[in-house]
Every structure is written in C-alpha cells, then in structure tokens.
Amino acid sequence: MEDTNSLVGKTALVTGASKGIGRASAIELAAMGANIVVNYNTSEEEAEQTVKLVKSLGVESFSHKANVGDLSEVTKMVSTAEEVFGQVDILVNNAGVIDDGLLLRMKDEAWERVINTNLNGTFYCSRAVLRSMVKARWGRIINIGSVVGLRGNIGQTNYTASKAAINGFTFALAKEVATRNITVNTITPGYIHTDTVDVLSDKQKNTIMTWIPMQRFGEVEDISAMVGYLASQKAKYVTGQVISVDGGMAI
C-alpha cells in the first residue's frame, strides 16, 4: 500500500526558511522524507540552524542566500538546487516582508519593497521551478498568504495587496498546470506566534484577540501541518484553493 505521507526522494525549496513558519515547514517536509533547500536573505546563522535541524531527521539539506524579489538571485538558487538534487518537486513560497504605514504617508519604497518580495518573489520562484515539475509531471506549489489578504488591515495596504494578489495568482496557475499533476494552493495564516507578532504591544494583542473567534494566536506548527498535507499524496486532488488557518478570523 502506498504511503500517502511519504516524500522520500522529493526535494522541497522553502523560501524564508531561517525561522518561523518557514523553518517549521522545512522541518515538517523533512520529517516526511524530503530533502530541503533552505532559502534565506539576511538570517544566515538561523538558516544554518534550520539546516542542522532538517539533517537531524535523516535527509539532505543546504542553505542558499537569495532575495526572492531579485530575479537573478532566484535563477541562481533554483539552478543550484537542481544541480544538487536533480529537480525541485515542492516549492513553499513563504518569504515575505512588511513595511506598514497609512497610505497617505506611505513612501514609494515601502510599497515597492513589499510588492517586490511578497508578490514578485512568488512569481519568480514559481516560474523558475515549473519547468522541471512539468517535465516530471508532478509538483506542489504552496503559497503562504495572509488573513489580511482576505479581510484587509489598517496600515497594511501594501501587504494586503500583495497577499490578495497571491490568491488570484493561485487560482490562475492552478488551472494552467492541473493536467500536469501539479497542484497550486495558498494557506492564509491568521496571527501566529512568530517574531513579527510577538513584538506587538499587549494593547495591540488584546485588540487582535477580539477578531479571533478561538481567542488565541496560532502556532507555526498549525501552518506547517497544512503545508505537509498539501505536499502529500493525500492532497493530490486539492488545487486552486485558499485555505485559512486562522482560528476563525476570516469568517
């Protein structure tokens, strides 16, 4: 009987995998047997820690520095991954940045930086891995969106726009590659215990809590469990979906 959880022999590229949701996703996929390419942009020490944790699970891994918003760096990263592991079977588009501010005061640079990393990065990485996925007639593209891409948030027009666009990107690309046995889905986390959320003031956290029916923040493992499911054969008929993991916040 086929082990529908096994990813042995597969390779996953996880962007922004030095910590948080990216690290948890890398560990989840490694535990299922996949070799892991750990992408990072600034946090080299943390990325190497992710590699160490992944290797402890008995698979191969290496880290690669690349700004996903830079096409040449993405091209080099994917090329290196293919040289080492043959091909990329699973892509987790997790890398993202925030640069908050009310629209009236938002600088062009804040808009461009967020759109470039979050949206263009998803485009560059997805396009770069697709050729080998199409050739293999198997692939998984898993985008990490956000609950604010569904409901908006004051001071985050740039971030909200980038994440909402990823939802549309998912719908279109899923249709393009469905006959090649490639699935494309987006997970929209709510407020998860990460560095970004943990630095919020108690007042901000209390306000956010009123938006969440479950009355608590999530853990990175809540997201990585969904990443593992979508990468597995259990989810072979799931594509073009935007799946909220947010304690009911998007209801």
Side-chain angles (χ1 to χ4, degrees), residues 2-245:
E2 180 189 13
D3 182 354
T4 54
N5 268 330
S6 176
L7 294 175
V8 172
K10 304 293 187 187
T11 296
L13 166 59
V14 183
T15 68
S18 60
K19 47 194 167 184
I21 291 170
R23 173 182 284 181
S25 298
I27 291 170
E28 178 78 17
L29 297 173
M32 295 167 70
N35 297 317
I36 309 292
V37 181
V38 174
N39 161 258
Y40 72 96
N41 188 27
T42 57
S43 305
E44 181 177 7
E45 192 173 325
E46 290 92 337
E48 287 305 318
Q49 180 63 23
T50 301
V51 169
K52 185 177 178 182
L53 290 167
V54 163
K55 284 185 171 181
S56 73
L57 296 168
V59 299
E60 294 302 314
S61 180
F62 69 92
S63 65
H64 196 289
K65 175 179 168 61
N67 172 6
V68 297
D70 185 312
L71 176 57
S72 63
E73 292 188 22
V74 168
T75 301
K76 183 177 179 182
M77 174 174 66
V78 172
S79 176
T80 301
E82 290 174 345
E83 285 172 15
V84 174
F85 292 126
Q87 65 188 52
V88 175
D89 305 285
I90 301 157
L91 169 65
V92 181
N93 282 310
N94 170 71
V97 297
I98 58 172
D99 198 338
D100 296 349
L102 296 174
L103 188 67
L104 272 172
R105 303 191 194 110
M106 186 174 289
K107 290 184 167 52
D108 293 350
E109 293 78 14
W111 176 270
E112 289 163 4
R113 176 170 173 255
V114 170
I115 296 296
N116 197 43
T117 301
N118 300 1
L119 181 56
N120 291 355
T122 296
F123 162 58
Y124 292 148
C125 291
S126 299
R127 186 178 62 179
V129 302
L130 263 181
R131 191 175 301 279
S132 64
M133 288 183 179
V134 168
K135 186 177 179 181
R137 297 187 70 84
W138 197 96
R140 301 284 190 264
I141 294 177
I142 303 166
N143 303 315
I144 304 299
S146 171
V147 66
V148 305
L150 300 172
R151 69 194 301 275
N153 197 28
I154 293 170
Q156 289 194 311
T157 50
N158 51 0
Y159 187 74
T160 298
S162 72
K163 294 300 188 178
I166 287 171
N167 297 343
F169 176 90
T170 297
F171 301 147
L173 183 58
K175 288 186 174 183
E176 289 184 15
V177 299
T179 60
R180 298 296 188 269
N181 203 28
I182 300 167
T183 65
V184 186
N185 294 286
T186 289
I187 302 168
T188 56
Y191 283 84
I192 307 296
H193 280 298
T194 60
D195 290 350
T196 304
V197 170
D198 291 342
V199 298
L200 296 174
S201 68
D202 287 342
K203 182 179 178 182
Q204 288 172 312
K205 289 178 181 178
N206 290 337
T207 299
I208 292 165
M209 209 64 74
T210 66
W211 306 337
I212 306 172
M214 291 188 77
Q215 292 287 290
R216 61 183 174 84
F217 293 159
E219 305 297 333
V220 292
E221 290 78 15
D222 295 323
I223 310 304
S224 63
M226 184 59 72
V227 169
Y229 167 69
L230 291 174
S232 76
Q233 279 299 96
K234 288 182 178 179
K236 67 183 185 297
Y237 202 55
V238 179
T239 196
Q241 300 304 303
V242 175
I243 303 169
S244 297
V245 183

